[in-house]
Amino acid sequence: MNGQLEALQQEALAALTAAQSLTETEAWYHEYLGRKGRLTAILRSLGQLSKEERPLVGKRANEIKEALEQALKQRQESVAAEEIQRTLAAEAVDVTLPGRRPILGKLHPTNQAMREMVEILKQMGFQVFDSPEVETDDYNFGLLNFPPDHPAREMQDTFFTTRPNVILRTHTSPGQLHAMRKYAPEPIRVILPGKCYRNEDVTARSEMMFYQIEGLAIGHRITFSDLKGTLLNFANQMYGEGRKIRFRKSYFPFTEPSVEVDVDCILCGGAGCRLCKQTGWLEILGAGMVHPVVLKNGGYDPAVFSGFAFGMGIERQAMLKRGVDDIRLFYSNDVRFLARV
Ligand code: DAH
């Protein structure tokens, strides 16, 4: 009987060493010490032994039981410690790794350029005036002195709505009329930044939605020199001190005379390069003296008042300044572009 007990103890201790988790030590407990365990079975059968044998075997069996209970406690403690070690190792953090930068949002490139331009013009005394993106045909064309058959009115240029004569503005110039009609006969200096829409094919050079800033100054003795000074100052602040500008004669129905304005190439300084197509100049805007018909439509007497106006594409300025060669990038939501510009 004692030999059987010794063998059971050896086997139990070996099995306990093999138990690698708390679950396995639980199973071990049921196998040997539990209610239906093998040592328990032996202890229960002591009654069948002879009087002489019983105390000896009983004593030894109880010693083994205590030894196994002691061994189980130790094994459970070390298995628990090992489990903690494994968890810690699995969740270990390498504190020497470099940190990750949080991704920061930023202003859209169009907004950056718009704010920059508005700041420059505000500081010259222009006030921002809000005007609607949805206009009547009259404000967008008629009151700006477009003849009824002007090609700009054609279907392919304008987005119409289901309401007769209601369109999406094709430029910010109709805002001139809103500002004039609000303030006439006071002198005004306003800028009108905002979205415009044109029903055109989308290409690297034209989007169907884009932004412009319109400028308008009306007063008693406003001359072409004022326009020149304003635009030269703008070009110097926007594109760098010492920039030159040049005026080319042009035509817009709402200005007379009308000009297109170039700045000397910001890349080559006028020598000729790819950006300026070897001309040395970059076109930045259209401008002119407000046409007497437009002054009258706005509520100003052309015999008493004169004014200048200009209009420029915001994405175009951003493209020139930041070397972007495709306007479609602005509205295709590619973060590689949005984060870079
Ligand atoms: N509205 C013109 C366009 O979209 C730009 C323009 C030209 C605005 C001359 C003006 C101006 O105020 O005087 O092409």
Side-chain angles (χ1 to χ4, degrees):
M1 191 71 194
N2 266 345
Q4 208 185 323
L5 275 174
E6 302 306 327
L8 185 63
Q9 183 181 22
Q10 291 312 311
E11 187 196 322
L13 288 174
L16 187 58
T17 318
Q20 294 301 323
S21 65
L22 289 175
T23 325
E24 280 172 34
T25 60
E26 283 295 313
W28 180 91
Y29 173 81
H30 290 300
E31 169 84 13
Y32 297 98
L33 301 175
R35 238 170 3 100
K36 293 177 182 162
R38 287 159 63 188
L39 185 63
T40 316
I42 292 176
L43 284 164
R44 284 217 180 107
S45 66
L46 288 180
Q48 294 158 17
L49 295 178
S50 65
K51 260 197 185 133
E52 300 76 46
E53 233 181 341
R54 201 184 302 154
L56 288 171
V57 177
K59 184 166 173 271
R60 185 70 197 127
N62 274 317
E63 281 168 8
I64 291 176
K65 187 180 177 214
E66 268 167 39
L68 289 184
E69 277 168 356
Q70 188 61 31
L72 174 65
K73 216 177 126 213
Q74 277 172 12
R75 185 66 194 143
Q76 280 178 330
E77 275 166 15
S78 68
V79 164
E82 280 164 23
E83 281 190 359
I84 289 173
Q85 284 309 318
R86 272 200 296 277
T87 314
L88 285 180
E91 292 172 4
V93 178
D94 181 350
V95 292
T96 65
L97 280 175
R100 271 184 219 138
R101 273 174 196 280
I103 297 172
L104 291 181
K106 57 191 277 197
L107 283 179
H108 188 276
T110 303
N111 276 329
Q112 288 180 44
M114 177 159 73
R115 290 193 186 189
E116 193 177 358
M117 295 158 80
V118 166
E119 272 319 302
I120 294 171
L121 292 160
K122 248 164 62 177
Q123 155 272 119
M124 283 191 251
F126 289 87
Q127 278 185 301
V128 173
F129 186 87
D130 268 328
S131 81
E133 288 173 29
V134 177
E135 283 289 5
T136 59
D137 189 86
D138 232 22
Y139 268 89
N140 198 78
F141 297 120
L143 294 168
L144 285 165
N145 199 33
F146 280 80
D149 55 351
H150 193 279
R153 294 172 175 239
E154 273 175 26
M155 294 287 280
Q156 62 266 39
D157 284 333
T158 308
F159 282 114
F160 296 88
T161 68
T162 47
R163 288 213 218 160
N165 297 322
V166 177
I167 62 168
L168 302 187
R169 68 175 172 193
T170 61
H171 52 174
T172 44
S173 302
Q176 290 188 27
L177 271 307
H178 290 292
M180 286 192 263
R181 288 183 167 187
K182 171 147 188 204
Y183 291 110
E186 296 296 321
I188 51 170
R189 248 182 300 175
V190 290
I191 43 175
L192 308 108
K195 268 181 195 161
C196 307
Y197 303 85
R198 280 187 203 170
N199 194 358
E200 283 177 352
D201 287 341
V202 174
T203 68
R205 296 174 57 88
S206 67
E207 260 287 0
M208 53 190 179
M209 186 218 77
F210 55 96
Y211 283 74
Q212 288 189 336
I213 289 192
E214 191 83 10
L216 174 70
I218 297 177
H220 290 287
R221 272 177 296 276
I222 291 199
T223 67
F224 199 87
S225 311
D226 297 316
L227 174 63
K228 272 185 153 176
T230 302
L231 294 180
L232 182 61
N233 186 304
F234 172 81
N236 278 318
Q237 290 197 59
M238 186 73 185
Y239 293 110
E241 211 51 51
R243 283 266 87 86
K244 285 181 287 198
I245 55 174
R246 81 174 175 185
F247 289 69
R248 284 178 288 110
K249 65 183 188 306
S250 185
Y251 172 78
F252 300 103
F254 38 91
T255 44
E256 180 59 37
S258 300
V259 289
E260 277 167 300
V261 180
D262 303 336
V263 62
D264 57 334
C265 181
I266 56 177
L267 201 61
C268 65
C273 69
R274 246 190 61 207
L275 182 64
C276 61
K277 304 212 180 68
Q278 310 306 328
T279 63
W281 296 95
L282 301 167
E283 184 188 321
I284 54 168
L285 57 89
M289 300 306 290
V290 181
H291 196 289
V293 167
V294 177
L295 282 174
K296 211 183 291 165
N297 289 339
Y300 291 92
D301 179 354
V304 182
F305 286 94
S306 59
F308 67 73
F310 57 87
M312 52 191 155
I314 294 181
E315 294 86 352
R316 171 146 184 86
Q317 318 295 317
M319 287 166 79
L320 290 176
K321 203 164 164 167
R322 298 164 203 270
V324 177
D325 59 5
D326 191 332
I327 194 172
R328 291 170 293 196
L329 287 167
F330 284 77
Y331 305 112
S332 47
N333 276 338
D334 184 333
V335 280
R336 288 170 301 182
F337 169 75
L338 297 175
R340 181 174 67 83
V341 174

